[in-house]
Amino acid sequence: MEKSNDQSRMDRIVSLAKRRGFIFQSSEIYGGLNGFWDYGPLGVALKRNLKDAWWHDMVAGHDELAAPAGAPEAYEMAGLDCTIIMHPQVWKCSGHFDLFHDWMIDCRESKRRYRYDHLSGRFALHRGKRVFVVTDASGDEAQPALTAKAQKFFGLRAKQIEEIEWDGGLTGLSAAVAAGATTLAEVLGPDASEPGTLTDPREFNLMFETRIGALAGDDDDRAFLRPETAQGIFMNFKNVLDTSRVRVPFGIAQIGKSFRNEITPRNFTFRSREFEQMEIEFFCKPGDSAAWYRYWRDRRWKWYLDLGLTEGKLQLREHDKDELSHYSVGTADIEYAFPFLAPGEFGELEGIAHRGDFDLRSHMEGKLVRQDGALVLEMGPDGKPRHKGSGKDLSYFDDITRERYVPHVIEPSAGADRAVLAFLCDAYHEDEVPDEDGKPRSRTVLKLHPRLAPLKAAILPLVKKDGMPEVAIDLYRALKRHMPCMYDEKGSVGRRYARQDEAGTPWCLTVDGQTLTDQTVTLRDRDSLVQTRVPIAEVVDLLTDRL
Ligand code: ATP
């Protein structure tokens, strides 16, 4: 199958990520583990820089004395680091235990498993035979996959492909079955040789289960790896309120690992089974929550732009009413046009949700459901609450206005791994630069924002003699105290520039013959390729300023 330009670009990004030590498949020497990824030396630095930028911009660097642009008023931010395993009741009241599932479907012939909502297909006809051909490929890979499948099923040669008639457009399998357009008995699965091998769809809870304690055995020992970091924040809402001087409105932020047993992890790190989230739960007065929702949505959108993501590849998408979770008053996704998606398609980087008082009330009262527009306690068949809450009072008392209320929550929830992937894809460029002899040479360059770049500078002696290494090493040691940088004397200077371009290093400092006479070095800019001479004594200040 011919690959689209964007798909082969994606392949080159994945290959660079591996070749240069950004991202490796987990447990690779044993054949890898699907949906799990390790970050190598450059990758861990990139991811750490991204998380540090988020923590700094949202928490540590936040000025709580002034209202930021667009904010209804000044507010405080606090940080938190909670456990991955929590009391099982947390997930019962949050709704994850009952509702956090996807529909999966198995193929009895190929033994492959698919997400029901990831399958789509069309009716194919040939000489009186009719079959609903299905694929799990998406975007512009879907139709070629269907054609190849139908060709094989009808036993046609390549030149007979035109004889296949297609009835109807590409439709999601679940929609086609729900509408009665087809039944699973006449569906030809993506990896099957005959129709009717797909099982009925089954619910599959995405939470990873574990057991607590050496004698674990009965149901009471069941515990779960958190599928989101948010719940740990709700668990500590009262603790933070009681132990720090925060007043509503305020936010609690957390960065940490989350786990989801995704049925079909795919698209590199985009859909992983273990990943990191950067989440804020922002607590505000119910009447002000719509204004805060707008503030956070715009603030988070701007954050990605400020760190250099291309605006034309980003999309802010407000959810339709029927797409909203049962508790949500409004949700917007910040999405990026990843190269593995078809033109016009976007993948979620972050969701900003107006969650009302759903979370705090659930943990007070028990699992809630929406009935006639209101949130009410869900009852079990025995007439008792389906999942009992903590019974603890999580309301807030405003001692100035003497009001008591359950705060509303705005939740900007971002994925660190998806953001790293978006910044990698966005930064990846192939262009041509003149080599030492002035001839054009193609290069691969990661145009990462200097805040995100794993290394900020490389110090290169032009040659390994004439006292140049000594000067370069001194400069390296002076700069290293202020920022991550490296010293490299191996290979031609052109090759060394190329290595730094691929790693996304914004600046190269070259010590050459002139350095020895006038104490200046060449500062080469990764993106503009402009080279300027800078006195060695000014290098540290200059680069610190630029950062
Ligand atoms: P999707 O619809 O893509 O599965 P979601 O809507 O379930 O995502 P949320 O529950 O809103 O995602 O999680 C918040 C953020 O966590 C997402 O925007 C994403 O950046 C990240 N995230 C969620 N699931 C994964 C995953 N399987 N792998 C990597 N990141 C993820």
Side-chain angles (χ1 to χ4, degrees):
M1 211 187 306
E2 191 85 345
K3 284 199 164 174
S4 71
N5 272 345
D6 265 6
Q7 187 59 42
S8 58
R9 182 159 180 270
M10 190 63 215
D11 291 346
R12 294 199 296 282
I13 294 169
V14 173
S15 137
L16 173 84
K18 165 143 200 218
R19 182 159 44 83
R20 292 309 312 268
F22 280 93
I23 300 173
F24 306 120
Q25 175 85 64
S26 160
S27 323
E28 198 178 340
I29 61 167
Y30 286 107
L33 194 58
N34 197 9
F36 297 89
W37 300 93
D38 296 336
Y39 287 79
L42 288 179
V44 72
L46 171 59
K47 191 171 177 190
R48 187 168 295 249
N49 292 343
L50 178 104
K51 291 187 289 181
D52 285 351
W54 184 89
W55 192 263
H56 174 271
D57 298 347
M58 299 300 120
V59 188
H62 168 66
D63 175 356
E64 56 198 36
L65 302 179
E73 59 185 293
Y75 62 89
E76 291 172 81
M77 289 295 296
L80 199 66
D81 186 23
C82 312
T83 59
I84 284 167
I85 295 176
M86 286 183 267
H87 195 291
Q89 200 64 13
V90 171
W91 307 111
K92 294 190 172 156
C93 290
S94 70
H96 287 84
F97 185 78
D98 292 338
L99 301 168
F100 193 57
H101 55 240
D102 280 332
W103 291 90
M104 65 177 179
I105 199 162
D106 289 303
C107 175
R108 282 183 282 260
E109 181 189 333
S110 67
K111 309 285 177 238
R112 298 277 303 267
R113 175 164 288 174
Y114 313 95
R115 244 176 85 166
Y116 195 33
D117 61 341
H118 282 175
L119 296 180
S120 55
R122 295 174 81 180
F123 273 111
L125 291 88
H126 187 256
R127 299 206 179 140
K129 265 173 112 179
R130 186 169 187 265
V131 66
F132 194 83
V133 193
V134 156
T135 178
D136 59 348
S138 61
D140 53 3
E141 295 197 347
Q143 186 53 48
L146 290 180
T147 306
K149 196 92 209 98
Q151 178 195 348
K152 201 161 172 204
F153 178 70
F154 294 129
L156 306 177
R157 290 195 210 136
K159 60 180 180 195
Q160 292 175 288
I161 281 177
E162 299 300 317
E163 294 174 15
I164 304 173
E165 282 176 57
W166 295 98
D167 184 7
L170 188 70
T171 317
L173 178 61
S174 55
V177 170
T182 185
T183 62
L184 289 175
E186 59 180 351
V187 166
L188 177 65
D191 300 286
S193 59
E194 56 185 80
T197 63
L198 295 182
T199 61
D200 283 331
R202 281 182 294 153
E203 277 180 346
F204 174 76
N205 195 296
L206 299 184
M207 283 197 293
F208 276 100
E209 227 181 281
T210 185
R211 302 259 163 194
I212 297 177
L215 294 174
D218 62 34
D219 240 24
D220 290 346
D221 307 315
R222 266 173 102 190
F224 304 92
L225 305 192
R226 67 179 176 202
E228 60 171 38
T229 58
Q231 296 304 323
I233 299 181
F234 298 124
M235 288 305 103
N236 286 286
F237 167 72
K238 202 84 185 143
N239 285 337
V240 173
L241 208 55
D242 292 347
T243 56
S244 53
R245 296 188 318 163
V246 288
R247 299 178 48 81
V248 168
F250 72 96
I252 305 182
Q254 169 163 235
I255 298 179
K257 289 260 179 165
S258 290
F259 301 81
R260 295 183 188 180
N261 202 357
E262 299 278 358
I263 296 170
T264 46
R266 58 172 160 183
N267 292 330
F268 201 23
T269 56
F270 181 83
R271 189 170 300 287
S272 309
R273 288 178 165 141
E274 174 174 343
F275 54 96
E276 263 180 293
Q277 289 185 309
M278 309 184 290
E279 294 194 297
I280 297 171
E281 303 305 320
F282 189 80
F283 302 93
C284 58
K285 210 171 156 178
D288 301 340
S289 59
W292 283 112
Y293 167 66
R294 286 193 294 275
Y295 164 71
W296 279 108
R297 185 195 58 192
D298 300 347
R299 171 89 200 268
R300 294 299 306 145
W301 166 261
K302 191 167 173 296
W303 188 77
Y304 291 98
L305 291 181
D306 288 347
L307 279 175
L309 277 193
T310 309
E311 186 160 7
K313 291 191 175 172
L314 273 176
Q315 157 172 300
L316 184 69
R317 193 176 66 83
E318 291 275 355
H319 284 205
D320 295 334
K321 276 269 168 287
D322 57 354
E323 214 185 329
L324 293 177
S325 317
H326 59 289
Y327 48 76
S328 185
V329 181
T331 296
D333 286 345
I334 298 175
E335 302 178 329
Y336 181 75
F338 285 98
F340 50 76
L341 298 170
E345 282 184 17
F346 292 78
E348 176 181 329
L349 284 182
E350 169 161 355
I352 299 99
H354 181 311
R355 299 175 63 94
D357 57 6
F358 173 79
D359 305 279
L360 291 177
R361 272 187 56 202
S362 306
H363 290 303
M364 287 196 276
E365 301 166 26
K367 189 188 165 207
L368 302 173
V369 283
R370 192 173 284 283
Q371 233 170 50
D372 304 324
L375 287 172
V376 296
L377 201 56
E378 184 180 348
M379 293 298 175
D382 54 2
K384 295 189 185 144
R386 169 142 175 77
H387 296 302
K388 257 177 78 181
S390 67
K392 298 280 183 297
D393 180 10
L394 301 180
S395 66
Y396 173 76
F397 180 66
D398 187 327
D399 51 11
I400 297 175
T401 61
R402 317 296 298 167
E403 288 170 284
R404 180 172 288 283
Y405 54 86
V406 179
H408 275 199
V409 167
I410 312 299
E411 178 190 78
S413 167
D417 307 80
R418 284 196 189 169
V420 164
L421 186 58
F423 281 105
L424 263 183
C425 294
D426 211 66
Y428 183 92
H429 287 82
E430 291 161 353
D431 59 11
E432 281 195 341
V433 296
D435 67 10
E436 282 127 284
D437 308 321
K439 292 206 197 90
R441 174 181 64 78
S442 60
R443 75 163 178 167
T444 302
V445 53
L446 288 184
K447 296 187 176 178
L448 289 167
H449 190 288
R451 282 181 83 190
L452 299 183
L455 291 166
K456 311 304 176 192
I459 296 94
L460 322 168
L462 187 63
V463 289
K464 259 194 282 183
K465 55 182 186 187
D466 301 336
M468 291 183 206
E470 289 77 0
V471 178
I473 288 170
D474 281 349
L475 177 57
Y476 159 77
R477 292 199 175 121
L479 198 57
K480 187 85 178 186
R481 286 205 288 271
H482 301 269
M483 62 190 72
C485 58
M486 76 174 286
Y487 171 79
D488 185 9
E489 57 173 31
K490 289 195 203 84
S492 75
V493 79
R495 291 268 292 280
R496 282 180 274 163
Y497 282 152
R499 277 203 291 270
Q500 296 304 328
D501 287 343
E502 272 193 347
T505 312
W507 303 295
C508 284
L509 297 152
T510 309
V511 172
D512 53 18
Q514 195 180 326
T515 311
L516 307 175
T517 57
D518 68 1
Q519 300 295 305
T520 63
V521 290
T522 313
L523 172 66
R524 171 190 182 263
D525 182 272
R526 177 197 66 199
D527 300 344
S528 67
L529 295 172
V530 169
Q531 304 206 6
T532 41
R533 291 212 73 94
V534 182
I536 292 183
E538 292 174 18
V539 166
V540 171
D541 283 350
L542 181 80
L543 295 194
T544 316
D545 271 3
R546 286 200 188 176
L547 267 179

